[in-house]
Amino acid sequence: MTVLIDEAAWPAHGRLWGHLVSDQSLDELHSFARRAGIPERGFDHDHYDYPEERRHALIALGAVPVTGRELVERLQASGLRVSQREKRGL
């Protein structure tokens, strides 16, 4: 099981957010998110958003820290990446 976590660097709602992805399957990602107490509303097509203050706890649960670039590359290689164009339904 490999759930990847990048640095929280995306500002929104007065805090910084990062991403959690799986390079194996969405089932694996959803299972990890449930165990971590991340609400389903945090899922965005191919990743979960997480607030910066949860980073250390998510790593303690087994998320593997990677750079944002590596996260995207591994997500693309897995075939699970959903492009912005696909997200908009174009």
Side-chain angles (χ1 to χ4, degrees), residues 39-86:
E40 290 180 24
R41 71 179 178 274
F43 183 68
D44 184 16
H45 295 89
D46 58 7
H47 70 276
Y48 278 89
D49 294 318
Y50 77 89
E52 178 180 39
E53 62 270 13
R54 299 278 322 270
R55 180 175 168 77
H56 294 295
L58 294 168
I59 292 169
L61 283 173
V64 176
V66 296
T67 65
R69 170 175 245 147
E70 183 176 350
L71 183 137
V72 170
E73 288 172 354
R74 289 177 65 177
L75 185 59
Q76 288 172 329
S78 74
L80 297 173
R81 176 78 167 133
V82 178
S83 70
Q84 290 299 321
R85 183 181 189 126
E86 292 169 312

Side-chain angles (χ1 to χ4, degrees), residues 18-37:
H19 305 103
L20 283 173
V21 304
S22 170
D23 66 356
Q24 299 291 317
S25 74
L26 291 179
D27 288 339
E28 172 185 64
L29 179 60
H30 293 308
S31 175
F32 183 90
R34 278 191 301 276
R35 281 196 339 263

